[in-house]
Amino acid sequence: MPNKVRVRFAPSPTGSLHIGGARTALFNLLFARHNKGTFILRIEDTDTERSTEESASQIVRSLKWLGLDWDEGPEKGGEYGPYFQSQRLELYKREVQKLLDEGKAYYCYCTPEELKERREAALKSGKAPRYDGRCRNLSSEQIAKFKAEGRKPTIRLKVPEQGQTEVYDLIRGKVVFENSVLDDFIIFKSNGVPTYNFACVVDDHAMEMTHIIRAEEHLSNTPKQIHVYNALGYELPQFAHVPMILAPDRSKLSKRHGATSVEEFRDQGYLAESIINYLTLLGWSPEGNEEIFGLDKTIEEFSLKRVNKTAAIYDVKKLTWINGHYLRELDLDYITKQVIPFMIKKGIIDEQQSKEDYEYIKKIVDVSRDRAKTLDELADTIAFFFKDFDEYEEKGIRKHFSKENAAELLTKGAEVLENLQEFTHDTTEKAFRDLTGSLGLKAAALIHPTRLAITGRTIGPGLFDIIVLLGREKVVERMKKAAEWINENISK
RNA sequence: GGGCCAUUAGCUCAGGCGGCAGAGCACCUGACUUUCAAUCAGGGCGUCGGAGGUUCGAGUCCUCCAUGGCUCACCA
């Protein structure tokens, strides 16, 4: 590769960062890092109707949260800025003027209403909705007349009517488009702002992009953009179109399919590491069979050659599995810090407690993280350490509280614990085993009801881990309370 | 409707030059354990979208069809 690789992620700030967008950003970053190139973030806010600053900052936030750091762009700056298209209008005007001067583009005075009418008529009669080029050769009288009517013109690019345009795509190979299917498309809107197909090309050239890695939906736009490159005398970059991400029903991903934005996944308790790993595997595959890929490792192995062509249907189950993996493998302090906001949000603890009891929370997370798939779930499963619960799990009541001697056993167990000298994992376990042994019972006969009594659940970490962490006072109190509950509620 | 892209197990994907269909997730079973999870060990007869064709031989090459997606905006 002669030039240093420069690639960009160019979202339009009209919403939150979609997982599809996140993956496009990821693949760009992967490609840049693998090739020791530069990864640029550019905000395409030329749609003045829909673009918002809030959306732009949300996208920036999500990207940062995912750990997808760019080298040039918003907040970072760079030699090729500004990185917001709305601040680059002068450049577009200069470039489009060149096209006008050279007769490669022309003003079109057709109104949106007229265009829409013609398009619908064409569609109705089964024809392709093409612009007919009627303003290509307007006489000065006609122009004067339109101007007198107060019409504000758009600018269209003259596209050759014959021939073909070939797109060389790094992922899909050569794709040929007949020029006859194209029309003279609008490159400048009547409000003086360029359209995507123009601004994008001007910027990609001005910012010296070597590769354009973007979603498949842009493949059909590429021949148009190539005509812009040609008209402007720009050298073509290399193109690579990555497959789309579809909903489980194969339709385009939308809100009705549940979480679609990075922030939603974050709020549901997915770690950035998991989302990155999952997205890495969605559309790209390593040479080996491994599934757990951190960013660094992927950067080393990444190649556009192994990006597949098929649209991927995202499968939350696999994301969840990956998340469970990271939940138990990542640094304990890190996971603890990640779960605390969820606990606070659920009212399990408050800000103050999260600081004072940090070490305690950490120990709890340590024994509990194995069983949870998300941070949200983890927060739920450790809530009983901090708050009393008011219900016992239904299934547990039937299995463990309905036994003849359940209440009596719990009372005895509580007494044994109360009288223990040392209160540790080993001493409490020994006490339980001794007690049940002396009664001719299995330890499980006491362990199960105790778990239900002190956690409200039938599942959870090892009982003696829980007992020690919960503390003697709480354990004894909850065991006695459970015994009372049984006497009152279970009719013999 | 036109153009373009795709179609291998329920899902994500491997299968350079055509030569006996694979992995992970999910699912089921067993081991371990105080429960659950984790972990380990097992469990897949898939018309490789369909139909033709080329070939000794096709998931792999060619043609047609079907299905899905993208696109044809003064959106990106």
Side-chain angles (χ1 to χ4, degrees):
Chain A
M1 227 153 282
N3 297 321
K4 195 184 175 212
V5 164
R6 288 176 61 81
V7 294
R8 86 300 194 276
F9 174 55
S12 73
T14 54
S16 50
L17 181 64
H18 199 253
I19 54 167
R23 197 200 40 183
T24 302
L26 171 66
F27 281 18
N28 270 284
L29 175 136
L30 255 16
F31 184 76
R33 297 276 180 270
H34 180 83
N35 293 293
K36 308 257 186 296
T38 307
F39 174 49
I40 292 117
L41 174 63
R42 182 176 74 220
I43 305 295
E44 307 219 326
D45 53 354
T46 52
D47 183 348
T48 46
E49 303 274 297
R50 298 194 303 154
S51 298
T52 65
E53 278 178 36
E54 167 49 29
S55 166
S57 57
Q58 192 183 349
I59 289 171
V60 163
R61 216 185 308 135
S62 291
L63 248 15
K64 286 205 287 200
W65 179 74
L66 284 171
L68 263 21
D69 281 323
W70 51 99
D71 306 303
E72 293 174 22
E75 298 183 5
K76 289 267 166 87
E79 289 173 44
Y80 297 80
Y83 294 89
F84 285 82
Q85 289 192 323
S86 57
Q87 294 167 24
R88 302 170 63 80
L89 258 26
E90 289 313 309
L91 172 64
Y92 311 130
K93 283 182 182 157
R94 205 159 61 230
E95 294 301 284
V96 81
Q97 191 56 50
K98 280 185 356 201
L99 259 23
L100 251 13
D101 293 345
E102 292 167 12
K104 291 175 177 169
Y106 58 92
Y107 287 106
C108 169
Y109 291 88
C110 299
T111 64
E113 293 73 29
E114 290 168 345
L115 259 12
K116 191 179 173 204
E117 208 169 290
R118 284 179 229 152
R119 184 165 50 241
E120 279 166 4
L123 242 20
K124 199 171 277 178
S125 62
K127 284 192 215 132
R130 267 176 100 256
Y131 174 68
D132 57 12
R134 67 174 64 197
C135 294
R136 251 196 198 210
N137 301 298
L138 252 26
S139 66
S140 37
E141 291 81 41
Q142 286 171 302
I143 292 174
K145 183 172 164 259
F146 284 141
K147 279 186 176 168
E149 288 175 16
R151 294 189 183 214
K152 288 237 171 10
T154 59
I155 300 173
R156 289 182 185 268
L157 183 76
K158 279 187 191 169
V159 176
E161 293 177 54
Q162 259 135 51
Q164 304 176 321
T165 301
E166 295 176 344
V167 177
Y168 293 91
D169 187 283
L170 260 17
I171 294 169
R172 330 184 95 83
K174 185 168 91 171
V175 182
V176 181
F177 294 85
E178 291 293 332
N179 288 339
S180 59
V181 307
L182 267 27
D183 62 2
D184 290 350
F185 57 94
I186 293 173
I187 54 179
F188 244 78
K189 304 178 226 176
S190 57
N191 65 358
V193 177
T195 57
Y196 163 72
N197 282 129
F198 186 74
C200 176
V201 169
V202 169
D203 281 341
D204 284 338
H205 176 261
M207 295 181 179
E208 296 183 24
M209 297 301 155
T210 55
H211 301 259
I212 307 302
I213 303 170
R214 71 212 333 179
E216 188 191 332
E217 56 187 306
H218 292 294
L219 184 56
S220 305
N221 283 138
T222 308
K224 292 183 179 183
Q225 295 185 12
I226 287 177
H227 286 294
V228 176
Y229 277 100
N230 291 156
L232 253 12
Y234 294 165
E235 195 185 329
L236 247 36
Q238 299 233 245
F239 294 99
H241 291 89
V242 304
M244 310 260 313
I245 296 177
L246 265 28
D249 63 358
R250 300 203 69 85
S251 66
K252 194 165 183 166
L253 216 45
S254 70
K255 295 90 250 119
R256 72 191 160 86
H257 297 111
T260 57
S261 73
V262 170
E263 297 207 331
E264 283 174 290
F265 281 105
R266 183 198 62 196
D267 293 345
Q268 286 183 8
Y270 290 95
L271 297 159
E273 289 79 359
S274 314
I275 296 174
I276 292 294
N277 194 146
Y278 179 64
L279 255 22
T280 295
L281 262 18
L282 210 56
W284 175 81
S285 60
E287 289 190 34
N289 274 334
E290 288 167 272
E291 301 279 337
I292 297 301
F293 270 77
L295 248 192
D296 291 345
K297 189 170 161 199
T298 314
I299 287 168
E300 234 172 88
E301 287 200 31
F302 189 77
S303 138
L304 250 20
K305 286 199 191 79
R306 294 192 70 85
V307 172
N308 73 307
K309 305 176 182 70
T310 321
I313 294 168
Y314 90 106
D315 176 18
V316 191
K317 280 186 193 154
K318 186 146 182 175
L319 206 211
T320 302
W321 168 72
I322 291 174
N323 204 53
H325 171 86
Y326 283 111
L327 225 39
R328 55 183 181 268
E329 295 298 329
L330 257 23
D331 179 72
L332 180 58
D333 274 305
Y334 175 73
I335 297 298
T336 305
K337 283 171 190 152
Q338 296 297 309
V339 78
I340 283 173
F342 284 85
M343 296 173 70
I344 293 175
K345 198 173 134 204
K346 287 169 182 287
I348 296 166
I349 54 172
D350 58 33
E351 193 82 43
Q352 180 84 2
Q353 268 176 292
S354 76
K355 295 196 178 88
E356 286 171 3
D357 299 339
Y358 178 79
E359 288 303 322
Y360 179 55
I361 298 169
K362 185 171 151 185
K363 281 180 192 157
I364 291 168
V365 169
D366 192 22
V367 301
S368 307
R369 75 210 290 213
D370 267 16
R371 271 148 275 258
K373 299 287 190 195
T374 64
L375 292 168
D376 187 78
E377 201 183 304
L378 180 56
D380 283 336
T381 64
I382 64 186
F384 71 83
F385 280 104
F386 303 91
K387 306 195 81 165
D388 288 331
F389 47 89
D390 35 43
E391 271 185 355
Y392 298 108
E393 194 181 301
E394 180 62 36
K395 188 180 80 188
I397 294 171
R398 271 184 279 115
K399 283 182 76 174
H400 310 304
F401 277 3
S402 303
K403 296 250 171 67
E404 198 76 37
N405 54 359
E408 191 192 339
L409 251 181
L410 282 170
T411 309
K412 282 185 177 160
E415 281 165 9
V416 165
L417 293 181
E418 270 183 308
N419 296 321
L420 267 183
Q421 289 279 356
E422 262 187 298
F423 199 77
T424 66
H425 182 289
D426 292 349
T427 59
T428 53
E429 176 163 8
K430 184 167 186 301
F432 265 41
R433 292 193 187 280
D434 287 349
L435 173 62
T436 48
S438 72
L439 296 169
L441 296 166
K442 281 189 185 170
L446 177 56
I447 286 170
H448 293 304
T450 303
R451 174 178 286 105
L452 185 62
I454 67 177
T455 71
R457 299 165 192 242
T458 55
I459 59 171
L463 183 70
F464 304 103
D465 287 327
I466 300 175
I467 286 181
V468 171
L469 282 169
L470 233 196
R472 188 191 319 240
E473 198 182 328
K474 276 282 174 200
V475 172
V476 168
E477 178 195 316
R478 288 184 186 176
M479 285 175 82
K480 286 182 175 171
K481 191 173 151 200
E484 280 169 34
W485 188 92
I486 292 169
N487 287 331
E488 280 168 30
N489 294 280
I490 309 270
S491 51
K492 294 287 153 54

